[in-house]
Amino acid sequence: MGQAPSNTPGPLTIATGTQIRHAMIDANIRTNTELAGKAGVSVPTIGRILKGETSASIETYQAIAKALNIPLSKLITAAEARL
């Protein structure tokens, strides 16, 4: 059987947070609060995602990508490329 999930964030979770931070710069979104408002996600959740402390649902990543004006596929592909 597979391993039990760990509470430690995996490399893709961390890379996704990093990619979102870079995309925020490209989108001229300067604060977590601004991104949270545009994406309809709480500020603490955005903070945890950006720090790579937690992953999010695909729906949340979609909302973040939309707020950043990029396709979800680009967000995920760019994060995966950081591995």
Side-chain angles (χ1 to χ4, degrees):
M1 297 203 89
Q3 292 181 315
S6 168
N7 288 336
T8 304
L12 185 57
T13 299
I14 295 167
T16 302
T18 301
Q19 183 56 38
I20 292 169
R21 283 195 307 274
H22 286 277
M24 285 173 68
I25 293 166
D26 293 342
N28 202 29
I29 295 175
R30 300 183 192 277
T31 67
N32 293 4
T33 302
E34 185 179 356
L35 178 59
K38 289 179 181 257
V41 177
S42 74
V43 175
T45 297
I46 291 291
R48 287 191 300 273
I49 291 169
L50 293 177
K51 292 176 193 171
E53 294 176 352
T54 190
S55 60
S57 70
I58 197 72
E59 290 82 6
T60 299
Y61 284 131
Q62 175 65 47
I64 291 169
K66 185 175 180 181
L68 295 168
N69 201 31
I70 60 173
L72 176 60
S73 59
K74 180 177 180 182
L75 176 64
I76 300 303
T77 301
E80 190 175 35
R82 292 183 174 279
L83 297 179

